[in-house]
């Protein structure tokens, strides 16, 4: 199997990752359009569907072990405090309480890049971990938590990013509230010069709220020690990343830690890293000598396991009368929460359109709230909302149709690196999307009569999503012609199990029913990265194809030896190898494997390196039709057309589901969801699912999904790019632009709630 | 704490369980009877993941104290399959890909089951009402509505 070590670059959640890795150099034939394929691209039902509709699917929280005990965490009720005294004696006396961990008795395990510890007496947000109890039942643990007596020294706090940047603000950390002490600055060209060349200059300020991931399944782990070996069933997007982190925290060999995740109830970025709760459970399990299950409650989910940071974005755009962008400036700030995390949002601004003079300045600040984590297209959702809003404003100022303005500034090469794209079909996305929504009938802003006004809006999406190495897949072919694919990736509901089986079935030409897929188990699977960044399908599917192609080659070579005929005289069809022009001279997989005296043939496939010298991106355009009731301020999204270039579609059915879900989350961000903080107490006012509203059935618009791409053959042997994040990125901006088109007043602060609409209408 | 003996008929199996007064039906189903198909997303009646059928009505089992359920007839997602065959709702959920991560699915199925028991061929509005209390964070809901509607149209309610 041809392999080599190469450098390869790809984008993962918040940054470019350069890897040096072993990749496959096997050149296989491009698959061509999906119409030429038998299994890949089809609308097939999920292979794990039975488990999910029958209730047999075991999520981490469903794992029950004999003699298991339950752990619960005490969380800080204040936004900023130091523990003066903590008394656990009463809690320890409760019958059924087995162990209590606090900063006084737990090992000092460094956390948050060495800025804190697993248990830290200095608590920096409401929800920070104070103690953890293991008990015979969860209820005993919950009751005993109330008997831990803590005396806090209350410290000054700040829970708003803007306030945290002001001189004299309460300090979250001694070094000051600006993360790294300085902004992130990006520039190309000369914006002064560019603004001078402009005929119109538009300036505006936009803001976005903090959004909470709130996957339906709470974060949880079940841990079990078996001598010196630790097994963890974790609700995670990255089994290997959790394994290595836990091994590091507990100072044990990674080989002795096994992390398993079979099914998970959503994550959206909030389950990319190892949680404190997992380490606490492991410590408690060691102390009690029993397995431990730990699960967060919904309140903790809202406070302590991540969020999409809010943003304030001041934008300035200059353009000539003919629509050419001449200069753009972006200034923004947002809050990491109490510990470092990224709040930048200027990437779409830098990369979406052709413009030579660009500058951005981004501040990430500490505040006394839970730390941010990547959330489905981090930075891009909020950045695209502001940028695509001001692009609309600029188009209007020079009297151009917003769509025509975007096409006028179409980037033929990546504006940041000047590299060509491996593929970019955004023009087709604009064209087909516009036709589907009826863009030609769009009326001037606010021109409708009557109290309920209709509007159309568009927004563009750019994201990476090309994936990359390392990613491996092991294929085991059994004597009976059935196969088992094993990969260290995970299925978040995104259909990973299913597309892996499809790719293997396509190459080996065996029925899907004969293929079994195992994912999310560090003890048995070859390495794949965490599932985030829309990288899973583009990274893993080529490794699976590589493994299957190798298997086919192996079978043909073996058949050649059995038949004593050169391999090039043989043809492989539907798992049968026959001699060209002599169809009765043939061998089945079973014949070959038996002759080899094997029961399981093995290959391991690898993801190829990304092509150098190219930018790899996904693109898309979404169009929204909304109705705004000017009496009540209510917005009803009637239709979203989502037209995307995401390389090859592996499974049309699961893809549509993924796009619908992304759009609904985008709609939630545009109109509904918001973490509400009380600036006087520093507490979150809506840390539950009743007050923290998420989209429910009544918010659903009609959705039309258009995929304009076939495989992007420059990237990999499957030509797949990711769709998870692209689906959500442009939705809020498209809705906001449609609202403007409906009422003629621009809403610049998300979420666009009825009160904001009414205020804006009244000027 | 004092325990109370309760009788439950769950998926046509009889159980007698000693429960504490503060245990919920959800706890009993999951932790005592091992029926983990019913999910716990919030414990306070906000997400619908714990929906089961109790005496013919869809209820949030996290809001039912175990003693309240004494003598009740309960159906959970595990009770949907008949002789190893999918219930039409299960088949339809698969056909429409009304399932993503699958965490909300058992609750959705139970809400849909009760709807179809009570109303043949429900309207789209009726379907929306029936699952309005079931939150899904992954799908766009549309597939779920269509999956339920399809079964209703075919009149396969049981
Ligand atoms: S767990 Fe019962 S409604 Fe959420
Ligand atoms: S499928 Fe994930 S919550 Fe509904």
């Amino acid at each position: 199997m041809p392999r080599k070590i190469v450098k390869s670059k790809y984008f993962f959640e918040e940054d470019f990752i350069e890897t040096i890795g072993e990749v496959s150099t096997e050149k296989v034939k491009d698959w061509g359009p999906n119409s030429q394929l038998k299994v890949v691209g089809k609308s097939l039902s999920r292979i794990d569907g039975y488990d999910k509709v029958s209730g047999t699917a075991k999520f981490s929280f469903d794992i029950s072990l004999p003699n298991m005990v339950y752990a619960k965490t005490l969380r800080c009720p204040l936004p900023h405090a130091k523990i003066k005294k903590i008394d656990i004696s009463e809690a320890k006396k409760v019958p059924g309480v087995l162990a209590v961990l606090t900063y006084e008795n737990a090992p000092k395990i460094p956390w948050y890049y060495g800025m804190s510890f697993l248990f830290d007496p200095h608590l920096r947000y409401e929800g920070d971990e104070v103690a953890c109890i293991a008990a015979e039942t969860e209820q005993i643990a919950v009751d005993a938590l109330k008997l831990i007596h803590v005396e806090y020294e209350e410290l000054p706090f700040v829970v708003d990013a803007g306030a945290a940047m002001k001189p004299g603000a309460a300090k979250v950390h001694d070094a000051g509230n600006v993360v790294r002490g300085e902004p992130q600055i990006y520039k190309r060209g000369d914006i002064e010069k560019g603004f001078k060349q402009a005929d119109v200059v538009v300036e505006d300020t936009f803001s976005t709220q903090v959004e909470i991931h709130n996957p339906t399944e709470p974060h949880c782990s079940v841990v079990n020690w078996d001598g010196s070996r630790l097994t963890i069933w974790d609700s995670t997007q990255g089994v290997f990343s959790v394994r290595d982190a836990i091994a590091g925290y507990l100072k044990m060999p990674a080989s002795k830690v096994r992390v398993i995740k079979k099914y998970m109830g959503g994550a959206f970025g909030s389950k990319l890293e190892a949680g404190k709760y997992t380490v606490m459970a492991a410590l408690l399990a060691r102390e009690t000598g029993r397995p431990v299950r730990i699960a967060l409650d919904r309140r903790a989910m809202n406070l302590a396991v991540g969020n999409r940071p809010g943003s304030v974005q001041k934008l300035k755009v200059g353009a000539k009368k003919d629509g050419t962008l001449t200069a753009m400036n972006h200034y923004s700030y947002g809050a990491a929460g109490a510990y470092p995390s990224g709040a930048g949002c200027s990437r779409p601004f830098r990369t979406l359109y052709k413009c030579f003079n660009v500058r951005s300045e981004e501040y990430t600040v500490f505040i006394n709230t839970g730390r941010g984590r990547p959330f489905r297209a981090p930075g891009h959702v909020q950045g695209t909302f502001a940028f695509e809003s001001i692009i609309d404003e600029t188009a209007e100022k020079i009297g151009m149709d917003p769509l025509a303005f975007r096409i006028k500034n179409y980037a033929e090469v990546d504006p940041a690196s000047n590299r060509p794209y491996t593929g970019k079909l955004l023009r087709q996305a604009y064209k087909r999307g516009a036709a589907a929504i009826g863009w030609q009938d769009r009326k001037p802003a606010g021109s409708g009569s009557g109290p309920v006004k209709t509007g159309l809006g568009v927004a563009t999406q750019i994201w990476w999503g090309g994936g990359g190495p390392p990613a491996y897949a092991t294929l085991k072919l059994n004597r009976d012609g059935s196969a088992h694919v094993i990969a260290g990736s995970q299925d978040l509901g995104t259909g990973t199990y299913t597309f892996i089986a499809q790719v293997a079935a396509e190459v080996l030409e065996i029925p899907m029913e004969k293929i079994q897929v195992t994912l999310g188990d560090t003890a048995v699977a070859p390495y794949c990265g965490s599932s985030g960044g829309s990288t899973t399908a583009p990274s893993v599917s080529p490794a699976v194809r590589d493994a299957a192609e190798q298997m086919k080659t192996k079978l043909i070579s073996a058949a050649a030896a059995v038949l004593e005929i050169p391999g090039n005289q043989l043809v492989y069809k539907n798992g049968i190898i026959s001699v060209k022009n002599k169809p009765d001279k043939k061998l089945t997989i079973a014949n070959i494997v038996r002759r080899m005296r094997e029961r399981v043939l093995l290959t391991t496939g690898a993801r190829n390196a990304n092509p150098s010298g190219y930018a790899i991106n996904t693109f898309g355009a979404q169009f929204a039709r909304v109705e705004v009731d000017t009496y009540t301020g209510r917005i009803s999204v009637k239709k979203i057309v989502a037209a995307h270039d995401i390389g090859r579609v592996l499974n049309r059915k699961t893809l549509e589901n993924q796009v619908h879900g992304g759009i609904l989350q985008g709609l939630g961000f545009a109109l509904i969801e918001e973490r509400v903080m009380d600036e006087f107490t520093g507490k979150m006012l809506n840390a539950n699912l009743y007050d923290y509203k998420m989209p429910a059935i009544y918010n659903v618009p009609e959705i039309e999904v258009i995929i304009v791409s076939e495989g992007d053959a420059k990237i990999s042997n499957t030509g797949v790019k990711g769709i998870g994040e692209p689906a959500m990125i442009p939705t809020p901006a498209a809705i906001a632009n449609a609202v403007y088109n409906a009422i003629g007043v621009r809403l610049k602060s998300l979420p666009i709630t009825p009160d904001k609409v009414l205020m804006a209408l009244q000027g | 704490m004092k325990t109370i003996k309760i009788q439950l008929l769950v998926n046509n199996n009889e159980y007698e369980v000693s429960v504490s007064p503060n245990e919920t039906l959800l706890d009993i189903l999951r932790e005592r009877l091992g029926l983990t198909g019913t999910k716990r997303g919030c414990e306070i009646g906000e997400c619908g993941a714990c929906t089961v059928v109790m005496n013919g009505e869809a209820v949030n089992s996290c809001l039912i104290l175990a003693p309240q359920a004494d003598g009740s007839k309960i159906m959970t997602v595990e009770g949907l399959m008949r002789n190893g065959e999918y219930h039409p709702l299960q088949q339809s959920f698969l056909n429409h890909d009304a399932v993503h991560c699958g965490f909300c699915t058992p609750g959705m199925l139970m809400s849909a089951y009760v709807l179809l028991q009570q109303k043949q061929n429900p309207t789209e509005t009726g379907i929306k009402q029936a699952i309005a209390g079931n939150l899904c964070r992954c799908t766009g809901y549309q597939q779920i509505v269509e999956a339920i509607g399809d079964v209703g149209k075919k009149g396969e309610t049981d």
Side-chain angles (χ1 to χ4, degrees), chain A residues 102-394:
Chain A
T102 70
Y103 82 95
E104 289 182 338
N105 62 7
K108 261 181 125 52
I109 297 175
W111 212 271
Y112 300 130
Y113 316 100
M115 293 175 83
S116 180
F117 298 97
L118 178 66
F119 289 104
D120 190 337
H122 190 155
L123 302 155
R124 291 189 168 89
Y125 66 93
E126 182 202 13
D128 217 343
E129 291 83 353
V130 173
C132 193
I133 288 186
E136 293 288 351
T137 70
E138 204 172 27
Q139 194 57 50
I140 295 174
V142 169
D143 292 342
L145 285 180
K146 295 175 194 139
L147 301 174
I148 297 181
H149 302 292
V150 194
E151 219 178 289
Y152 296 103
E153 174 193 345
E154 296 194 28
L155 299 173
F157 60 85
V158 57
V159 294
D160 173 74
M165 287 177 67
K166 296 220 171 83
K171 276 188 176 177
V172 182
H173 295 277
D174 292 342
N177 287 345
V178 174
V179 177
R180 281 182 236 92
E182 55 180 24
Q184 302 275 93
I185 292 180
Y186 169 86
K187 57 183 169 209
R188 63 174 184 259
D190 178 349
I191 55 165
E192 304 294 322
K193 209 175 85 199
F195 281 119
K196 276 194 201 114
Q197 292 163 358
D199 295 317
V200 301
V201 173
V202 179
E203 282 184 79
D204 222 330
T205 303
F206 300 87
S207 66
T208 62
Q209 74 280 34
V210 173
E211 185 188 21
I212 308 288
H213 302 75
N214 268 322
T216 47
E217 181 200 29
H219 291 49
C220 61
S221 304
V222 176
V223 304
N224 184 43
W225 288 95
D226 184 0
S228 63
R229 286 170 301 162
L230 177 64
T231 304
I232 301 168
W233 288 263
D234 196 26
S235 182
T236 176
Q237 292 171 257
V239 285
F240 280 98
S241 97
V242 170
R243 181 196 69 161
D244 288 3
I246 300 294
Y249 289 134
L250 298 178
K251 296 203 169 44
M252 55 192 287
S255 59
K256 300 251 175 152
V257 181
R258 177 181 187 184
V259 179
I260 301 171
K261 189 234 64 133
K262 193 167 180 203
Y263 293 111
M264 180 169 74
F268 316 108
S270 70
K271 295 174 181 170
L272 278 165
E273 59 189 70
K276 280 191 175 181
Y277 51 92
T278 312
V279 177
M280 293 175 192
L283 295 172
L284 289 168
R286 193 148 62 186
E287 190 173 333
T288 59
R290 295 167 64 176
V292 171
R293 184 201 284 166
I294 191 164
L296 273 65
D297 61 19
R298 190 49 65 179
R299 187 173 165 74
M301 293 292 295
N302 277 276
L303 296 174
V305 284
N307 56 68
R308 181 193 300 280
S311 73
V312 172
Q313 305 175 51
K314 295 182 204 289
L315 290 159
K316 186 173 168 187
V317 169
K320 289 191 182 155
K321 275 203 202 85
D322 70 353
T324 310
L325 287 169
T326 61
M328 307 196 298
N329 193 37
H330 183 280
Y331 165 93
S332 70
Y333 59 85
Y339 292 100
S341 141
C345 56
S346 72
R347 295 269 189 183
F349 163 86
R350 296 187 226 161
T351 52
L352 205 43
Y353 299 113
K354 179 169 149 185
C355 182
F356 298 111
N357 306 303
V358 174
R359 185 177 188 279
S360 65
E361 181 175 333
E362 299 172 285
Y363 294 81
T364 299
V365 298
F366 290 119
I367 58 172
N368 293 105
T369 67
R371 176 173 156 261
R373 286 187 186 181
F375 189 156
R376 203 171 194 166
H380 271 58
V381 179
Q382 54 270 49
T384 299
F385 157 67
F387 184 45
E388 284 287 82
S389 291
I390 202 163
I391 284 291
D392 256 35
E393 287 186 76
T394 312

Side-chain angles (χ1 to χ4, degrees), chain B residues 26 39-51 60-63:
Chain B
L26 175 65
K39 301 302 177 200
R40 184 176 105 179
C42 70
E43 304 166 66
I44 46 177
E46 294 171 345
C47 73
C50 65
T51 308
N60 288 335
S61 60
C62 72
L63 294 183

